[in-house]
């Protein structure tokens, strides 16, 4: 199972080579720019440290995030190395001398060495740390892989295309097709050789030529650290999953569907069958369909996507893009996007959903690798079509997707080294600014206060309240399951089908009186609501959270037929709609005690259950035909009512109405939408009272 950086080959090799020892501290550096206000220049840059020794569910918490520096605006700094230097110089000094730590529990001192294991940044932020050539260079890959880009005639920008364009003979780019399986990241030894080759350039002209060849423009500031206490360049740079999925790829799909790329004179946009939203009416209808999904999306999905036809170009959030593109579009584009383009998109979504998981099994990783390796050449064939004028369709994010599976084997799941924590830290610090007339000074002060508070909590644990404190009106069921108010004040008698189902479950001739509970907190941090709770709200206030996934995950069966992937499913989850949660009491049959009256309460055994209504099994044709990304079900009605154990509930999901035409017949169905990367949905924030 890949569920941490310690599962990756990079960490295991470092331990084997004795670079990392038992008491050493692994660090991750994250840097990003922030815009404090929408209406005026207010750029500032922030970098933070994360201690990877802590479990992922803890090292993303606010109390464990260590602000490193805040680089004030309102303009972007010209030479950002000068601002990074003090913090990195301090780290380098500690790496030389070691960090002396007193272990209070053992009452002894030891020396710990700080190992910089990963750095995480978006495209512009990465250039400040790496001194690479940038995303428009001939070798633009942040992994410095051997793939060289192609460019259009008389245009300086390069694009990472695997397939050589037809009738293409531009000097310096005229090389044959590249197999997606032949690419792989560079390593620190090759990087050092390329850097020395660059620095030994005798003239400025030779220097520019070698920059183009190597993808490097100068030495990285990270070379100032102790070489035995850093993973190496470019291995230290992560692929940055958040911006890849929530910004770059999402924007690329949107630009393709809306036909936003420049159309060359020899091309005809009318032949762009994939540009389904170039018609304003179709685009607005899709926007209304996206907005209509809001009430069906649980609150744990974060911000529900707004109408993209109105808001996609104005501060649309990464979480909105991810929910819209990867959860809603596979169903909403059914019958709208032509079949070949729709299947290609679903294949990408299937691979990306696996790579967005916090825990990835080896079989899932193999499946994702195969899906992405098939998707990328297929994407080029149907969009780029080996045409010179279509080269800009292949953005760097398309190529970066191909590195995700390999990175998981190297440093663990990509989502464990993404920018989500950085974005949340920026949000937290920005919300704490109290004086808008002097925002930057106040932001710095909040960063200092955060460091001081975190240090006090670390030194004096009594200052830190315990995690997962449940409200006094709750009922802790163990293993992370907690029933939450509201609850019936008095015992209630149920009637009809509910009474029959409960009586059958208990094996009694009559139905006992029960207390109905409204909410359940799951171990993953989600709050499952119930129909009992949600029907008391107005429709505009509902974020439906009463649909749950029960039992084990869908079992994927991966088979290769003529080098083509086929995924089928067996066993599988059942999706259910919760009517209410309750605690049923049944007497223990073999109870024996002299004082029957005093121990009457002890004779009761509580069974924590939920009354649910089933959805049908997913439509097998849609599920397997679209690589498992479109699970479409039907409601089975009151006759499917049954009781289930609360501990069988795995997660809260969305079931959204749709009306697909299957075999020429329109059906009223519901499609499943799960939160991408659900395992870390609650990471990075402090638990609050529910």
């Amino acid at each position: 199972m890949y569920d941490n950086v310690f599962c990756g080959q990079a960490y295991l090799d470092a331990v084997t080579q004795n670079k990392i020892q038992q008491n050493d501290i692994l660090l991750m550096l994250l840097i990003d720019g922030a815009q404090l206000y929408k209406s005026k220049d207010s750029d500032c840059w922030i970098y933070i440290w994360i201690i990877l020794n802590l479990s992922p569910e803890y090292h993303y918490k606010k109390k464990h995030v260590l602000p490193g520096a805040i680089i004030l605006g309102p303009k972007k700094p010209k030479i950002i190395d000068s601002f990074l230097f003090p913090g990195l110089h301090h780290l380098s000094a500690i790496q030389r001398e070691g960090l002396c730590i007193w272990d209070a529990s053992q009452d002894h001192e030891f020396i710990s060495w700080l190992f910089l294991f990963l750095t995480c940044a978006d495209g512009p932020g990465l250039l400040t740390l790496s001194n690479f050539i940038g995303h428009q260079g001939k070798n633009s890959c942040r992994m410095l892989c051997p793939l060289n880009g192609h460019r259009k005639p008389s245009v300086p920008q390069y694009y990472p295309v695997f397939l050589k364009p037809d009738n293409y003979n531009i000097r310096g780019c005229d090389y044959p097709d590249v197999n997606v399986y032949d690419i792989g990241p560079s390593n620190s030894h090759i990087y050092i050789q390329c850097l020395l080759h660059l620095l030994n350039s005798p003239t400025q002209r030779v220097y520019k030529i070698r920059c183009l060849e190597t993808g490097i423009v100068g030495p990285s500031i990270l070379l100032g650290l102790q070489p035995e206490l850093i993973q190496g360049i470019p291995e230290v740079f992560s692929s940055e999953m958040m911006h890849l999925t929530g910004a770059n790829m999402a924007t690329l799909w949107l630009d393709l569907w809306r036909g936003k790329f420049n159309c060359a004179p020899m091309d005809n946009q009318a032949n762009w069958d994939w540009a389904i939203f170039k018609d304003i009416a179709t685009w607005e209808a899709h926007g209304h369909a996206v907005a209509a999904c809001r009430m069906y999306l649980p609150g744990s999905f974060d911000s529900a996507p707004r109408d993209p036809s109105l808001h996609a170009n104005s501060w649309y959030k990464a979480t909105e893009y991810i929910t819209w593109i990867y959860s809603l579009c596979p169903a909403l584009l059914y019958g709208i996007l032509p079949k070949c383009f729709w299947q290609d998109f679903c294949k990408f979504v299937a691979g990306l959903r696996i790579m967005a998981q916090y825990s990835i099994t080896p079989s899932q990783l193999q499946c994702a690798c195969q899906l992405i390796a098939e998707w990328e050449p297929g994407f080029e064939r149907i969009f780029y079509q080996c045409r010179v004028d279509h080269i800009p369709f292949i953005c760097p994010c398309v190529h970066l997707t191909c590195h995700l599976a390999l990175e998981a084997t190297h440093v663990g799941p990509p989502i464990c080294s993404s920018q989500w924590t950085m974005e949340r830290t920026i949000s937290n610090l920005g919300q704490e600014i109290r004086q808008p007339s002097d925002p930057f000074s106040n932001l710095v002060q909040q960063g200092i206060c955060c460091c001081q508070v975190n240090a006090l909590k670390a030194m004096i644990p009594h200052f830190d309240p315990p995690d997962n404190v449940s409200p006094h009106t709750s009922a802790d069921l163990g293993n992370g399951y907690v029933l939450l108010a509201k609850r019936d004040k008095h015992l209630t008698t149920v009637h009809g089908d509910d009474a029959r189902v409960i009586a059958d479950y208990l094996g009694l001739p009559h139905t006992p009186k029960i207390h109905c509970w409204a909410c359940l907190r799951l171990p993953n941090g989600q709050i499952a609501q119930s129909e009992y709770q949600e029907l008391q709200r107005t429709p505009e206030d509902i974020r439906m959270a009463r649909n749950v996934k029960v039992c084990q995950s869908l079992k994927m069966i991966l088979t290769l037929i003529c080098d083509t992937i086929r995924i089928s499913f067996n066993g599988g989850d059942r999706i259910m709609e919760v009517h209410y949660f309750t605690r049923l009491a049944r007497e223990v049959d073999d109870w024996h005690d002299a004082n029957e009256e005093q121990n009457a309460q002890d004779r009761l055994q509580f069974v924590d259950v939920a009354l649910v209504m089933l959805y049908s099994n997913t439509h097998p044709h849609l599920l397997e035909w679209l690589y498992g990304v479109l699970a479409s079900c039907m409601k089975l009605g009151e006759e499917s009512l049954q009781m289930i154990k609360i501990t069988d509930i795995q997660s809260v999901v969305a079931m959204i109405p749709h009306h697909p035409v299957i075999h020429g017949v329109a059906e009223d169905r519901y499609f499943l939408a799960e939160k991408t990367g659900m395992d870390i949905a609650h990471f990075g924030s402090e638990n609050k009272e529910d």
Side-chain angles (χ1 to χ4, degrees):
M1 181 74 72
Y2 295 93
D3 60 2
N4 204 330
V5 295
F6 302 121
C7 303
Q9 194 62 42
Y11 174 78
L12 299 176
D13 289 345
V15 172
T16 303
Q17 299 165 12
N18 210 30
K19 292 183 178 180
I20 299 176
Q21 301 180 14
Q22 182 177 359
N23 293 323
D24 292 350
I25 298 175
L26 268 66
L27 297 175
M28 179 164 66
L29 171 66
L30 296 91
I31 184 171
D32 199 6
Q35 178 83 5
L36 298 182
Y37 299 106
K38 298 181 181 181
S39 55
K40 61 180 179 180
D41 287 340
S42 54
D43 283 344
C44 67
W45 283 67
I46 301 175
Y47 76 81
I48 61 175
W49 302 97
I50 287 178
I51 300 174
L52 295 175
N53 300 66
L54 298 170
S55 172
E57 63 180 287
Y58 293 110
H59 71 225
Y60 286 105
K61 298 283 186 181
K62 180 181 177 181
K63 63 184 177 184
H64 297 306
V65 172
L66 309 175
I70 297 175
I71 306 169
L72 306 183
K75 301 294 184 181
K76 178 182 177 180
K78 292 184 178 180
I79 306 176
I80 201 168
D81 281 2
S82 62
F83 298 95
L84 296 173
F85 177 80
L88 294 177
H89 178 268
H90 183 61
L91 173 61
S92 181
I94 296 176
Q95 287 181 332
R96 287 178 62 90
E97 301 171 5
L99 185 63
C100 185
I101 298 177
W102 173 51
D103 185 349
S105 63
Q106 304 281 338
D107 194 20
H108 78 98
E109 291 184 354
F110 63 90
I111 300 297
S112 178
W113 304 94
L114 305 187
F115 192 101
L116 182 61
F117 192 73
L118 284 171
T119 58
C120 186
D122 60 1
L126 178 71
L127 299 183
T128 65
L129 294 170
S130 65
N131 252 344
F132 289 170
I133 201 167
H135 67 278
Q136 294 183 337
K138 186 175 183 179
N139 189 344
S140 61
C141 179
R142 64 170 63 198
M143 308 294 180
L144 286 184
C145 77
L147 178 69
N148 290 316
H150 294 74
R151 63 181 178 87
K152 296 170 63 176
S154 305
V155 177
Q157 291 87 3
Y158 290 81
Y159 298 90
V161 178
F162 280 89
L163 305 178
K164 179 183 176 181
D166 295 334
N167 304 317
Y168 188 79
N169 56 2
I170 294 181
R171 183 178 179 182
C173 300
D174 191 15
Y175 37 81
D177 296 350
V178 178
N179 191 320
V180 67
Y181 290 105
D182 292 338
I183 67 167
S186 180
N187 57 59
S188 54
H189 300 293
I190 297 177
Y191 169 77
I192 293 298
Q193 293 175 5
C194 292
L195 180 61
L196 291 175
H197 179 62
L198 175 69
L199 297 179
N200 290 328
S201 302
T203 64
Q204 185 70 15
R205 179 177 175 275
V206 174
Y207 166 77
K208 291 182 177 180
I209 294 175
R210 292 181 179 179
C211 282
L212 189 66
E213 294 174 352
T214 61
I216 306 170
V217 297
S220 167
I221 190 173
L222 298 181
L223 293 175
L225 302 175
Q226 305 308 307
E228 69 278 5
L229 292 174
I230 182 175
Q231 191 186 163
I233 299 175
E235 299 97 324
V236 73
F237 301 124
S238 76
S239 60
E240 214 305 88
M241 188 74 167
M242 192 204 80
H243 285 91
L244 173 65
T245 58
N248 302 328
M249 281 304 305
T251 302
L252 174 60
W253 288 116
L254 186 57
D255 287 345
L256 287 170
W257 295 335
R258 298 192 66 191
K260 289 295 184 179
F261 286 94
N262 291 330
C263 185
M266 68 288 296
D267 197 4
N268 185 358
Q269 202 174 59
N271 296 328
W272 291 6
D273 296 334
W274 62 82
I276 52 177
F277 295 143
K278 61 185 177 183
D279 177 62
I280 298 298
T282 307
W283 173 232
E284 291 180 348
H286 177 75
H288 297 334
V290 172
C293 294
R294 181 185 184 277
M295 70 172 293
Y296 302 100
L297 297 173
S300 57
F301 280 47
D302 297 321
S303 300
R306 294 163 288 171
D307 185 339
S309 66
L310 301 176
H311 302 286
N313 296 325
S314 58
W315 292 75
Y316 213 68
K317 297 180 180 180
T319 53
E320 293 180 273
Y321 273 122
I322 290 172
T323 302
W324 167 31
I325 300 293
Y326 310 118
S327 295
L328 304 182
C329 278
L332 297 183
L333 297 184
Y334 178 84
I336 298 176
L337 192 62
K339 180 180 177 181
C340 67
F341 304 110
W342 187 49
Q343 282 187 293
D344 175 80
F345 169 67
C346 290
K347 182 181 288 188
F348 170 80
V349 172
L352 195 70
R353 284 183 181 178
I354 296 175
M355 297 313 305
Q357 295 175 180
Y358 162 64
S359 300
I360 307 175
T361 65
S363 61
Q364 288 175 331
L365 190 59
Q366 179 191 4
C367 178
C369 180
Q370 183 72 19
L371 284 167
I372 294 173
E374 287 187 7
W375 164 77
E376 205 286 340
F379 180 87
E380 291 194 12
R381 291 188 187 97
I382 63 176
F383 289 105
Y384 151 56
Q385 302 169 351
C386 293
R387 295 180 52 147
V388 175
D389 53 327
H390 284 190
I391 287 179
F393 291 0
I394 311 302
C395 299
C397 54
V398 175
H399 170 75
L400 186 58
T401 304
C402 299
H403 282 287
L404 291 179
L406 185 61
E407 183 180 10
T409 65
H410 189 65
V411 293
I415 203 164
C416 287
S417 55
S418 64
Q419 284 280 77
W420 288 110
T421 308
M422 183 75 252
E423 295 297 329
R424 187 177 290 276
T425 300
I426 291 172
S427 176
N428 288 339
L429 293 175
Q431 291 171 359
E432 292 167 358
I433 296 176
R434 295 291 183 266
Q435 184 59 267
S437 62
D438 193 5
F440 298 110
S441 297
N442 280 276
L443 188 65
V444 170
Q445 191 60 41
Q446 292 302 328
I448 294 172
C449 288
C450 180
C451 292
Q452 293 170 336
V453 169
N454 288 350
L456 285 172
K457 288 181 178 180
M459 292 186 291
I460 310 174
H462 296 295
F463 287 168
D464 186 21
D467 289 338
N468 295 321
V469 176
S470 300
H472 68 278
T473 55
S474 64
D476 192 339
L477 310 182
N479 297 322
Y481 291 89
V482 182
L483 284 171
L484 304 171
K486 88 184 202 184
R487 188 197 77 164
D488 285 340
K489 294 182 179 179
H490 306 287
L491 289 170
T492 304
T493 301
V494 294
H495 303 281
D497 290 333
D498 294 10
R500 173 185 54 80
V501 171
I502 295 175
D504 290 345
Y505 184 81
L506 293 176
L508 298 176
H510 62 278
T511 305
K513 294 182 178 181
I514 64 172
H515 284 292
C516 291
W517 292 76
C519 306
L520 172 71
R521 187 170 68 201
L522 302 177
N524 63 13
Q526 286 183 298
I527 305 295
Q529 303 281 350
S530 64
E531 187 181 51
Y532 160 76
Q533 165 76 2
E534 292 185 339
L535 291 183
Q536 300 179 33
R537 300 178 181 175
T538 58
E540 57 270 15
D541 294 332
I542 291 179
R543 293 286 300 275
M544 195 177 293
R546 63 177 183 258
N547 294 301
V548 297
K549 186 168 70 171
V550 176
C551 293
Q552 300 299 317
S553 299
L554 284 170
K555 298 178 181 178
M556 289 186 296
I557 301 175
L558 173 65
T559 56
L560 297 177
I561 303 174
C562 300
D563 296 327
T564 301
I565 193 168
R566 172 179 171 80
I567 305 175
S568 58
F569 298 80
N570 70 352
D573 306 335
R574 289 305 299 266
I575 309 302
M576 306 178 181
E577 182 182 72
V578 177
H579 281 213
Y580 51 78
F581 307 100
T582 186
R583 309 193 74 186
L584 298 178
R586 58 166 57 143
E587 290 190 1
V588 179
D589 296 333
D590 58 351
W591 181 265
H592 298 286
D593 195 284
N595 193 346
E596 294 286 343
E597 183 176 353
Q598 180 179 348
N599 294 279
Q601 185 67 25
D602 296 334
R603 295 181 59 183
L604 298 179
Q605 180 186 36
F606 285 96
V607 182
D608 305 309
V609 293
L611 181 70
V612 299
M613 184 173 65
L614 297 182
Y615 286 87
S616 69
N617 289 323
T618 55
H619 193 287
H621 173 66
L622 291 178
L623 190 68
E624 296 186 20
W625 184 47
L626 297 175
Y627 311 99
V629 302
L630 180 52
S632 181
C633 309
M634 302 177 72
K635 275 190 177 181
L636 296 182
E638 297 292 331
E639 58 274 10
S640 67
L641 284 174
Q642 63 177 251
M643 306 297 294
I644 63 167
K645 292 181 180 179
I646 282 178
T647 52
D648 287 340
I649 297 176
Q650 301 298 310
S651 64
V652 179
V653 299
M655 295 299 290
I656 303 171
H658 73 138
H659 310 283
V661 177
I662 303 175
H663 303 305
V665 179
E667 299 182 359
D668 293 330
R669 307 183 70 89
Y670 296 80
F671 70 88
L672 170 67
E674 296 186 81
K675 182 174 174 61
T676 305
M678 183 60 246
D679 293 330
I680 66 159
H682 61 297
F683 288 2
S685 62
E686 300 298 329
N687 288 316
K688 299 178 181 179
E689 185 170 307
D690 300 285

